[in-house]
């Protein structure tokens, strides 16, 4: 089908869209008439649930198995998303993992996982996506407020990876200005997902606004960055954490 530019459905690829923040982003963009592709690694059931929900309301959603720790899988995910949806308007790089431990005894395998998924995976997802994006597109990474807040003991390796994402976005944005593609980073504070299960009460005490983010709070910020009103925002990080202090 051929669409006039104003009618053509926009397209979005969400790395890590099966649960939590990524699932809320996929649903929100679908509500805004994006056709979406989302990746998952361990929960095909959850990925299917998100896609079924979207297609049940008349939208288009495609689930793609792709481990963000695997460079070839990232490239395949971009190829499959564009095969199914066409060139991409919005890419959200949300896939991430949390591993905790003291600097004195941090497990080296956990360190490798954090570096591979939270840093290399973000870099390679951004790199692979740029070639498949329309000019004027939006790239949005999901970092963390731990990049700028003191955080908590045991979080040093995770915080390091999220600081790397904030740094990547600042300068990658400059590379893409000739194509009017913006690159921004959202830094959620504690958010009610599987990642914070069992920690909510402890975390709430550290949030001056006295509540955790819901995944929808982060989806709202993605919606803003993906919209017309944000076309001049690039290379920046936006923190959404209720004023978190430790
Ligand atoms: N929750 C928080 O408090 C919080 C705060 C700040 C920042 N963040 C960041 O927000 C992002 C999402 O967090 P969340 O709380 O929604 O986490 P979550 O509930 O644990 O969900 C993680 C999502 O990422 C996917 N994922 C994980 N590892 C992956 C990999 N190797 N390859 C591809 N996909 C992978 C998961 O897929 P499967 O379902 O297939 O496993 C799932 O869709 C992460 O980058 C996290 O660091 C979270």
């Amino acid at each position: 089908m051929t669409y006039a530019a104003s009618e053509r459905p926009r397209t979005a690829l969400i790395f890590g869209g099966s649960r939590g923040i990524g699932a809320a982003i996929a649903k929100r963009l679908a509500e805004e008439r994006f056709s979406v592709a989302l990746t998952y690694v361990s929960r095909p059931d959850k990925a299917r649930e998100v896609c079924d929900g979207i297609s049940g309301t008349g939208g288009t959603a495609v689930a793609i198995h792709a481990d963000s720790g695997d460079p070839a899988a990232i490239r395949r995910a971009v190829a499959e998303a564009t095969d199914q949806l066409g060139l991409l308007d919005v890419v959200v790089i949300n896939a991430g993992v949390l591993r905790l431990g003291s600097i004195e005894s941090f497990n080296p395998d956990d360190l490798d996982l954090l570096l591979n998924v939270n840093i290399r995976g973000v870099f390679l997802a951004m790199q692979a996506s740029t070639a498949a994006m329309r000019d004027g597109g939006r790239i949005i990474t999901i970092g963390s407020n731990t990049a700028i807040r003191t955080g908590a003991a045991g979080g040093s390796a995770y915080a390091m990876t999220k600081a790397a994402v904030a740094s990547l976005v600042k300068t990658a944005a400059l590379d893409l200005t000739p194509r009017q593609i913006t690159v921004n980073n959202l830094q959620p504070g504690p958010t009610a997902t599987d990642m914070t299960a069992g920690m909510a009460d402890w975390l709430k005490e550290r949030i001056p606004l006295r509540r955790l983010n819901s995944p929808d709070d982060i989806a709202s910020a993605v919606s803003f960055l993906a919209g017309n009103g944000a076309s001049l925002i690039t290379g920046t990080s936006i923190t959404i954490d209720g004023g978190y202090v430790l």
Side-chain angles (χ1 to χ4, degrees):
M1 184 180 286
T2 311
Y3 294 96
S6 57
E7 291 169 8
R8 174 182 60 74
R10 287 183 293 165
T11 57
L13 169 59
I14 299 128
F15 287 92
S18 46
R19 284 184 290 128
I21 292 170
I25 293 167
K27 290 176 201 163
R28 178 68 63 91
L29 292 177
E31 280 164 23
E32 296 177 355
R33 299 193 59 251
F34 279 83
S35 299
V36 302
L38 58 92
T39 71
Y40 65 93
V41 65
S42 68
R43 297 296 303 269
D45 55 326
K46 290 287 179 187
R48 200 173 315 115
E49 202 175 291
V50 175
C51 291
D52 287 350
I54 291 171
S55 43
T57 55
T60 300
V62 180
I64 302 167
H65 179 264
D67 182 349
S68 280
D70 174 356
I74 291 172
R75 289 191 294 273
R76 279 198 303 274
V78 172
E80 193 174 332
T82 48
D83 275 357
Q84 304 239 16
L85 306 180
L87 289 176
L88 302 170
D89 294 295
V90 171
V91 173
V92 182
I93 308 172
N94 168 75
V97 288
L98 172 68
R99 291 293 182 276
L100 299 171
S102 166
I103 188 76
E104 297 171 292
S105 55
F106 202 83
N107 181 322
D109 291 339
D110 285 349
L111 181 61
D112 284 346
L113 180 72
L114 284 169
L115 297 175
N116 289 344
V117 177
N118 292 10
I119 301 183
R120 189 181 66 178
V122 175
F123 186 98
L124 294 179
M126 196 180 288
Q127 184 179 54
S129 298
T130 53
M133 289 184 77
R134 286 196 175 84
D135 290 356
R138 309 286 161 88
I139 298 174
I140 302 159
T141 58
I142 307 298
S144 164
N145 74 332
T146 56
I148 57 161
R149 304 288 195 196
T150 303
S156 62
Y158 176 78
M160 171 177 71
T161 66
K162 295 301 188 175
V165 172
S167 186
L168 165 67
V169 158
K170 274 195 291 189
T171 313
L174 301 180
D175 292 337
L176 297 174
T177 53
R179 295 180 55 198
Q180 297 287 316
I181 292 173
T182 67
V183 188
N184 292 294
N185 177 42
L186 293 173
Q187 300 189 142
T191 306
T193 68
D194 294 345
M195 194 175 270
T196 51
M199 295 191 267
D201 289 341
W202 186 88
L203 288 164
K204 199 163 87 174
E205 288 306 305
R206 282 144 187 89
I207 302 170
L209 286 177
R210 288 291 178 267
R211 72 171 177 88
L212 273 67
N213 285 312
S214 76
D216 279 339
D217 291 321
I218 313 307
S220 295
V222 167
S223 166
F224 168 67
L225 288 174
N228 291 337
S231 60
L232 208 62
I233 300 175
T234 197
T236 200
S237 288
I238 299 173
T239 303
I240 309 165
D241 71 353
Y244 186 96
V245 283
L246 186 71

